[in-house]
């Protein structure tokens, strides 16, 4: 039996990236701006008396980044004559349930004061005892734009105060004893004629005496054992009692569907560069081993997700968000994994779609023209269209017409029109779609798998969709494209 959980980052969305750190209390080799990063400063040995064990857990300090190390040393009573002060300001207001301090034991603070401000108005000032290297200082504050952290004492006497990171909120873990009805739908499209979003809905039956804010765009991770199933961002939540919350989440592509893209005109533009520019600083992208191509055409003003779909379709690659924080860009895997009957539920099905008689893709060529019908960035362009068609050679007089047309792929130029039409035809020519329910064991979208059928055969295809029920035995209903 596996162990499943949800990791909820109850943080102020965007606060870390918007934070400006200022202090005059740091040692010269500190880098206080790193405090609002990921808090992963390594444990270091610094040759101070009685400060570190000879157990191999620390590397010798040799220029590595140290987020904050106070210039002053505490006294025999652990207090400071000149207290270290760190001020963090934001250009806009945020809300959080508190602050998490990450520290390093030899210089761990034992007492700090945290003050939250809105402009020049002090909202609240509170002392917190620090008893661990990861200490959550719980205090819900709404609409603050400045935090002043004052380190009053260290854990041991005559120590420099050390902090490795500051998180504007807290990271919480929920096991299956607190979770109900965790449903995850992960989806991609094999040829990019659309760019689906993935979702997660879950209900929390809260066992702790804690009230949650559940702010929009806060990240939520779904795990089974050591496998990260996916990362989703809160879209909305509803509270039905003191302890019960229902939360709806969407993936990074869903978040990008809420963001506007101004559009542009492109000539021999790198697909990787264009994709990265559209995503912007919102999320990271993993291009893996995908080869770059140059694209020509336009993208009209739209959402970022719709703009990415235009790039993917013309490029001929896929994208998915499962398995991590990055948007994965990839080509379909053709190395088959056989999923045996021991991991397969009864009831696999295979659906055969109607024969596709032809596929046509319209290519676009744009030229600047004051009388043109397409306007981008204040300029007008004419759109010269060329239709590229691939016809099914197996069509007979009795075959019902079933044409697939793509007319609005504005990054498909005449140079790639025929190859694009052939690629789309090759996808639709694979008429079978298999559905099977398995015990999940690390499979991700795009994987090529073989599953058994109830009639003694097997079916092979790429995973285009997974509907996952999170429990201590994680079941996933797979949709295999091109089976």
């Amino acid at each position: 039996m596996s162990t499943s959980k949800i990791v909820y980052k109850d943080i102020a969305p965007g606060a870390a990236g918007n934070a400006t750190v200022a202090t005059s209390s740091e040692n010269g080799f500190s880098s206080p701006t790193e405090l609002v990063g990921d808090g992963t400063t390594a444990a270091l040995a610094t040759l101070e008396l009685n400060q570190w064990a000879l157990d191999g857990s620390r590397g010798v300090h040799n220029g590595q980044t140290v987020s904050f190390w106070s210039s002053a040393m505490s006294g025999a009573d652990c207090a400071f004559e000149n207290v270290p002060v760190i001020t963090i300001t934001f250009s806009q207001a945020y809300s959080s349930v508190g602050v998490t301090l990450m520290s390093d034991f030899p210089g761990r603070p034992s007492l700090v004061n945290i003050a939250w401000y809105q402009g020049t108005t002090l909202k609240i000032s509170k002392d917190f005892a620090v008893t661990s290297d990861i200490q959550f200082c719980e205090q819900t504050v709404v609409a603050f734009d400045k935090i002043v952290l004052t380190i009053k004492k260290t854990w041991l006497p005559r120590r420099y105060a050390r902090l490795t990171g500051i998180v504007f909120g807290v990271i919480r873990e929920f096991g299956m004893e607190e979770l109900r009805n965790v449903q995850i739908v992960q989806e991609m499209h094999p040829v990019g004629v659309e760019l689906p979003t993935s979702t997660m809905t879950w209900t929390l039956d809260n066992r702790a005496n804690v009230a949650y804010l559940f702010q929009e765009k806060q990240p939520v991770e779904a795990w089974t054992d050591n496998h990260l199933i996916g990362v989703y961002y809160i879209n909305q939540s509803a509270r039905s009692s003191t302890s019960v919350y229902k939360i709806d989440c969407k993936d990074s592509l869903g978040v990008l569907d809420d963001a506007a893209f101004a559009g542009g005109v492109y000539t021999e533009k790198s697909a990787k560069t264009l994709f990265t520019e559209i995503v912007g600083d919102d999320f990271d992208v993993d291009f893996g081993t995908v080869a770059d191509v140059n694209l020509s055409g336009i993208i009209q003003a739209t959402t970022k997700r719709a703009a990415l779909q235009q790039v993917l379709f013309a490029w001929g690659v896929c994208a998915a968000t499962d398995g991590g924080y990055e948007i994965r860009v990839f080509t379909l895997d053709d190395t088959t994994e056989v999923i045996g009957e021991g991991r397969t539920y009864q009831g696999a099905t295979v659906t055969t779609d109607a024969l596709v008689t032809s596929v046509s893709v319209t290519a676009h060529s744009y030229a600047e023209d004051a009388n043109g019908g397409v306007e981008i960035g204040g300029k007008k362009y004419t759109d010269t269209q060329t239709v590229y068609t691939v016809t099914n050679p197996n069509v007979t007089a009795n075959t019902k017409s079933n044409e697939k047309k793509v007319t609005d792929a504005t990054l498909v130029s005449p140079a790639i029109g025929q190859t694009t039409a052939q690629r789309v035809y090759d996808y639709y020519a694979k008429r079978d779609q298999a559905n099977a329910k398995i015990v999940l064991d690390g499979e991700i979208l795009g994987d090529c798998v073989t599953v058994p059928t109830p009639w003694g055969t097997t079916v092979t295809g790429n995973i285009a969709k997974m509907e996952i029920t999170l429990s201590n035995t994680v079941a996933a209903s797979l949709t295999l494209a091109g089976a």
Side-chain angles (χ1 to χ4, degrees):
M1 180 178 290
S2 58
T3 301
S4 300
K5 64 182 179 181
I6 282 178
V7 177
Y8 164 49
K9 297 194 173 181
D10 193 356
I11 58 177
N18 187 240
T20 300
V21 182
T23 181
S24 59
S25 306
E26 83 279 15
N27 193 294
F29 54 78
S30 297
S31 181
T33 57
E34 298 293 327
L35 281 170
V36 294
D38 58 10
T40 55
T41 299
L44 300 173
T46 52
L47 306 184
E48 294 169 272
L49 181 64
N50 297 329
Q51 291 226 19
W52 50 285
L54 297 172
D55 60 0
S57 62
R58 292 173 179 267
V60 175
H61 181 258
N62 185 26
Q64 299 96 325
T65 297
V66 175
S67 296
F68 178 82
W69 191 329
S70 67
S71 56
M73 180 183 286
S74 63
D77 61 352
C78 299
F80 287 92
E81 183 175 346
N82 296 307
V83 293
V85 178
I86 301 169
T87 301
I88 304 169
T89 55
F90 310 89
S91 62
Q92 61 189 70
Y94 295 93
S95 302
S96 78
V97 293
V99 171
T100 298
L101 302 178
M102 301 179 182
S103 56
D104 186 6
F105 172 71
R108 179 201 299 163
S110 65
L111 182 66
V112 301
N113 176 270
I114 303 178
W116 288 264
Y117 290 82
Q118 186 182 73
T120 58
T121 302
L122 175 65
K123 295 183 73 72
I124 193 165
S125 177
K126 186 175 180 179
D127 286 347
F128 296 92
V130 180
T131 59
S132 66
D133 285 353
I134 301 177
Q135 180 68 50
F136 176 46
C137 304
E138 184 176 358
Q139 179 61 57
T140 298
V141 183
V142 176
F144 61 85
D145 57 18
K146 183 171 74 171
I147 292 175
V148 178
L149 172 66
T150 302
I151 301 175
K152 292 186 171 182
K153 288 186 175 182
T154 53
W155 188 258
L156 297 172
R158 297 188 174 89
R159 293 291 186 262
Y160 296 100
R162 304 184 196 181
L163 290 176
T164 64
I166 299 174
V167 176
F168 306 109
V170 63
I171 299 174
R172 307 182 190 273
E173 290 190 4
F174 304 119
M176 292 311 303
E177 68 278 1
E178 291 186 275
L179 298 174
R180 303 180 192 166
N181 304 323
V182 183
Q183 302 294 326
I184 300 169
V185 178
Q186 297 180 153
E187 195 167 1
M188 50 78 69
H189 197 283
V191 290
V193 295
E194 59 180 319
L195 184 56
T197 61
S198 298
T199 61
M200 179 171 74
T201 59
W202 54 292
T203 299
L204 172 66
D205 189 353
N206 180 25
R207 301 294 177 87
N209 185 24
V210 176
Y212 298 104
L213 290 179
F214 288 123
Q215 299 179 75
E216 188 178 0
K217 297 184 182 180
Q218 287 178 323
V220 179
E221 301 171 356
W223 290 82
T224 180
D225 292 332
N226 294 319
H227 171 60
L228 177 58
I229 296 173
V231 180
Y232 309 89
Y233 300 85
I234 291 176
N235 184 42
Q236 62 181 6
S237 65
R239 189 176 186 178
S240 59
S241 71
T242 302
S243 60
V244 177
Y245 301 79
K246 182 177 180 180
I247 304 99
D248 293 336
C249 305
K250 56 189 177 184
D251 69 349
S252 54
L253 295 175
V255 174
L256 292 173
D257 201 35
D258 297 329
F261 182 69
V265 180
Y266 310 99
T267 301
E268 293 296 304
K269 177 79 171 183
S270 158
K272 286 185 178 181
T273 300
L274 180 54
F275 196 94
T276 303
E277 288 175 355
I278 295 170
V279 174
D281 296 329
D282 298 325
F283 302 99
D284 292 328
V285 181
D286 177 12
F287 291 110
T289 60
V290 172
D292 200 4
V293 299
N294 292 329
L295 300 175
S296 297
I298 70 165
I299 300 178
Q300 300 203 42
T302 184
T303 69
K304 287 190 172 185
R305 180 172 73 95
L308 293 176
Q309 185 271 329
Q310 290 282 356
V311 178
L312 292 168
F313 180 76
W315 193 355
V317 296
C318 308
T321 60
D322 56 333
Y325 276 86
E326 298 174 317
I327 299 173
R328 292 190 297 119
V329 178
F330 58 95
T331 54
L332 288 178
D333 187 14
D334 58 4
T335 302
T336 302
E337 173 200 357
V338 177
I339 300 177
E341 294 183 354
R343 282 208 292 134
T344 307
Y345 290 78
Q346 293 293 319
T349 62
V350 178
T351 302
T352 301
D353 294 331
L355 185 75
V356 171
T357 54
S358 68
V359 167
S360 63
V361 173
T362 301
H364 302 260
S365 181
Y366 297 92
E368 190 172 342
D369 183 343
N371 298 315
V374 178
E375 185 172 343
I376 300 288
K379 296 182 179 180
K380 292 186 176 181
Y381 300 83
T382 57
D383 176 11
T384 301
Q385 301 183 4
T386 307
V387 178
Y388 295 89
T389 302
V390 178
T391 302
N392 191 332
N394 298 318
V395 171
T396 67
N398 295 324
T399 304
K400 182 179 179 181
S401 178
N402 183 18
E403 301 177 3
K404 301 292 184 180
K405 297 181 179 181
V406 179
T407 62
D408 56 354
T410 54
L411 285 177
V412 174
S413 63
I416 60 173
Q418 192 63 53
T419 56
T420 303
Q422 186 66 54
R423 172 168 50 83
V424 177
Y425 173 81
D426 291 342
Y427 165 70
Y428 283 115
K430 299 177 180 179
R431 300 164 56 194
D432 289 342
Q433 176 179 286
N435 293 276
K437 187 175 181 180
I438 68 166
V439 176
L440 193 66
D441 188 24
E443 287 78 18
I444 58 176
L445 293 171
D447 281 354
C448 185
V449 299
T450 296
V451 295
T453 67
W455 49 92
T457 63
T458 61
V459 63
T460 300
N462 293 97
I463 301 175
K465 185 177 182 179
M466 291 196 289
E467 299 178 72
I468 300 169
T469 300
L470 192 67
S471 66
N472 284 331
T473 299
V474 181
S477 295
L478 307 184
T479 299
L480 306 185

